[in-house]
Amino acid sequence: MARDYDYEDMLQVKASWYYYMEDMTQQEIGEHLGISRLRVNKLLDKARKNGVIQFSVRARDNSRMEIEREFAKQFGLTDVFIVPPAHNDGDINENVAQAAATYIYDHLDRDSFINMGYGDTPGRVLNHMAKISEFPINVVSLTGGVSYYLPNTQSDIFNAKLHLTPTPLVLQNASIIPELEREPSVMQILNMSRLAKMTFIGIGGMDEDATVLKNGLLSRDDYLLLSMKGAVGDLLCHFIDANGQPVPSDIEGRLISTSLDKLKAMSNVVAVAVGAHKAKAILATLRGGYLSTLITDEATAIRIMDLNKEETDINREKGGGQHEQ
């Protein structure tokens, strides 16, 4: 299947934009994108030769760069990577996963460790990354649940070393969790996660296709109760409300998963999430301040910004009405 995007081409656009439109030096661009100055120089040279730079950045890329710039400014992110629309609606998840794999791989070196959350999209990213990598990637799981991190059956090449937490993700009995967390094999993974160069996670929405439902982690009754309590999505199976705050539930006490506080304290947290049905969950994650970088598609990015404006306007009107009373 042909790709609807070219990561290298899009990286050339980013470098060109920062160099010609924002007057950044090649050194500054390299630091911002997490790549070397020499790589930036080569990207600019390729951009001049292949027509990306034509006295102005191409119109379709100019629009996307404007969205990325506004999005990053609006939500205080270090970087945003927006994948253009796919010709086929069914291809966008794969396109974003491939773009995310190349983006993350581009920021790693041979000895890097990266943390990974469970989920369909992170799993796709890992499979693509393990196929393109020239060296084994060290991946540390952020949750229990070994099976969620294993390569899919279509992976004939999987150049990754998985360091997995040898426990379930959700337990029936919360009382045994402290004992499990004291196990040397579990403590080792926890210690490794603190040394990782980058963390990448998915963002779960509250819909019928949610991974936690598909995998049978939670029942539909659990899901309904969480929705009634105000949950709009989850990070590492921690459910959050519209402002990114944890939603109390008995499930929270039965998890073996990196806490939201620890996630927020990690550097270089990259979320990969796709689809308008996840817009509320992604917006809540942004409001909670858990991310450094978001990788998504153009339609989802626009929907998130629109949703943020709509909710801000509603809250402003409510605040104004209360003030007048």
Side-chain angles (χ1 to χ4, degrees):
M1 181 185 297
R3 297 184 187 180
D4 289 311
Y5 76 96
D6 184 327
Y7 175 82
E8 186 76 8
D9 182 76
M10 292 168 68
L11 201 58
Q12 290 171 31
V13 171
K14 275 180 173 284
S16 301
W17 176 275
Y18 293 134
Y19 189 71
Y20 290 100
M21 304 299 287
E22 299 196 13
D23 295 323
M24 292 172 67
T25 66
Q26 293 183 17
Q27 184 66 35
E28 289 171 336
I29 295 169
E31 291 172 358
H32 183 67
L33 296 178
I35 58 180
S36 69
R37 181 186 177 281
L38 180 61
R39 177 114 160 85
V40 173
N41 184 273
K42 289 181 178 179
L43 286 168
L44 292 172
D45 185 55
K46 287 181 180 178
R48 285 187 287 267
K49 290 178 179 177
N50 66 18
V52 172
I53 302 169
Q54 301 174 351
F55 298 104
S56 63
V57 177
R58 292 174 305 197
R60 69 177 187 272
D61 295 314
N62 182 71
S63 173
R64 192 167 63 254
M65 286 299 300
E66 289 284 5
I67 295 171
E68 287 186 359
R69 184 181 182 185
E70 176 58 30
F71 198 104
K73 180 181 178 182
Q74 198 171 121
F75 297 108
L77 296 175
T78 302
D79 196 11
V80 180
F81 203 96
I82 295 176
V83 176
H87 296 316
N88 262 322
D89 289 341
D91 294 339
I92 194 62
N93 286 332
E94 276 299 299
N95 283 1
V96 172
Q98 290 181 33
T102 313
Y103 178 96
I104 294 168
Y105 180 64
D106 216 26
H107 288 70
L108 298 179
D109 53 49
R110 185 173 294 273
D111 298 319
S112 294
F113 279 71
I114 56 173
N115 294 327
M116 174 184 169
Y118 80 96
D120 177 67
T121 303
R124 293 185 191 214
V125 173
L126 177 59
N127 274 279
H128 287 301
M129 193 158 47
K131 288 178 182 179
I132 64 175
S133 178
E134 297 176 357
F135 51 85
I137 301 167
N138 288 288
V139 178
V140 182
S141 67
L142 289 173
T143 71
V146 171
S147 63
Y148 309 135
Y149 296 91
L150 299 179
N152 63 37
T153 55
Q154 298 176 346
S155 295
D156 50 353
I157 301 173
F158 193 76
N159 201 10
K161 294 180 179 178
L162 303 179
H163 306 276
L164 307 180
T165 307
T167 69
L169 171 52
V170 183
L171 287 86
Q172 291 297 319
N173 188 348
S175 65
I176 65 173
I177 290 180
E179 192 65 32
L180 283 174
E181 290 179 337
R182 284 193 290 268
E183 285 290 321
S185 58
V186 176
M187 292 180 67
Q188 183 181 27
I189 301 300
L190 293 174
N191 290 332
M192 290 172 68
S193 70
R194 298 188 185 103
L195 302 174
K197 181 178 181 179
M198 180 182 288
T199 295
F200 80 97
I201 61 171
I203 300 174
M206 301 297 288
D207 59 272
E208 293 296 314
D209 292 326
T211 302
V212 290
L213 283 181
K214 282 183 174 181
N215 290 342
L217 286 169
L218 301 180
S219 70
R220 295 191 181 278
D221 288 342
D222 291 329
Y223 223 50
L224 178 60
L225 181 59
L226 285 162
S227 296
M228 292 171 68
K229 288 184 174 183
V232 297
D234 80 282
L235 302 172
L236 306 177
C237 214
H238 300 289
F239 286 83
I240 56 174
D241 64 19
N243 292 314
Q245 299 306 305
V247 174
S249 74
D250 74 306
I251 296 164
E252 185 67 27
R254 296 188 283 115
L255 293 177
I256 293 187
S257 176
T258 302
S259 71
L260 291 177
D261 286 340
K262 288 180 180 177
L263 177 66
K264 190 180 289 189
M266 291 176 174
S267 59
N268 299 324
V269 179
V270 179
V272 186
V274 184
H277 63 289
K278 289 190 176 182
K280 288 185 177 181
I282 300 170
L283 178 56
T285 303
L286 293 166
R287 288 174 174 168
Y290 300 104
L291 307 181
S292 306
T293 299
L294 176 67
I295 301 175
T296 190
D297 64 297
E298 190 170 332
T300 303
I302 292 171
R303 178 60 190 137
I304 291 166
M305 289 195 292
D306 288 345
L307 186 62
N308 187 48
K309 184 178 185 304
E310 291 168 11
E311 293 185 2
T312 300
D313 290 344
I314 290 171
N315 290 334
R316 187 180 294 118
E317 289 176 6
K318 285 182 179 178
Q322 292 171 355
H323 180 72
E324 290 172 1
Q325 291 175 357

